[in-house]
Amino acid sequence: TPAEFNTYELQKDEEFDFSQFKNPEFILDGKPTKLIELAKQVYSEGHDLFILTARSDSVAGAIQGFLNQFDIKATAVHCVGDSGSDIARNKRKVLLTIMESYNKIYFYDDDAANVEAAQEIGVKSYQV
């Protein structure tokens, strides 16, 4: 699970298989988490909604398609998984870009390192 991934330490001769992160089928057939309700609320209130994910760029369209199933349209889907292994740093870069155009940003993530990186630049952030 994502929570297990965030804390699991690889043992000798182990490696993570991220192939599902690049497969749109796993996105479109995915089960929504509690964050889908938050996304619905943000979108229905007329706010811009940005998705930042550690997934590959190849699934950005599938993420938008998944959201469409719930009548949600993201302003943008930022996939940072292709930009190297430091996901927290990559998400922070995207947040800095978003901050150039928005004065109020809320960031929700399941990884403490990502939340901490966002908080360091002044983004109101919550671990879910």
Side-chain angles (χ1 to χ4, degrees):
T1 68
E4 291 169 325
F5 170 76
N6 290 336
T7 59
Y8 185 81
E9 295 198 24
L10 290 171
Q11 303 302 308
K12 186 178 186 234
D13 298 325
E14 285 185 326
E15 62 183 39
F16 290 117
D17 175 7
F18 292 105
S19 60
Q20 290 182 2
F21 270 47
K22 297 178 181 181
N23 186 336
E25 182 179 309
F26 286 99
I27 303 294
L28 293 169
D29 295 337
K31 302 228 183 297
T33 67
K34 62 184 175 184
L35 283 176
I36 203 75
E37 293 304 319
L38 176 62
K40 275 186 198 178
Q41 180 181 350
V42 168
Y43 181 69
S44 71
E45 291 176 358
H47 303 293
D48 288 342
L49 174 68
F50 294 87
I51 305 298
L52 280 67
T53 179
R55 294 187 182 275
S56 168
D57 284 333
S58 62
V59 298
I63 291 170
Q64 192 65 266
F66 178 78
L67 293 171
N68 288 344
Q69 295 174 33
F70 302 94
D71 298 320
I72 301 168
K73 182 165 176 33
T75 303
V77 176
H78 297 277
C79 299
V80 301
D82 293 331
S83 302
S85 61
D86 192 341
I87 299 302
R89 182 180 58 83
N90 296 340
K91 286 187 176 184
R92 179 183 167 139
K93 279 185 187 177
V94 172
L95 287 169
L96 285 167
T97 301
I98 293 169
M99 289 173 71
E100 293 175 6
S101 300
Y102 296 85
N103 59 8
K104 189 183 266 189
I105 301 170
Y106 296 92
F107 177 72
Y108 298 85
D109 203 286
D110 63 353
D111 186 288
N114 297 340
V115 170
E116 185 177 311
Q119 289 173 338
E120 288 172 358
I121 58 171
V123 173
K124 199 168 246 204
S125 306
Y126 304 92
Q127 187 171 357
V128 292

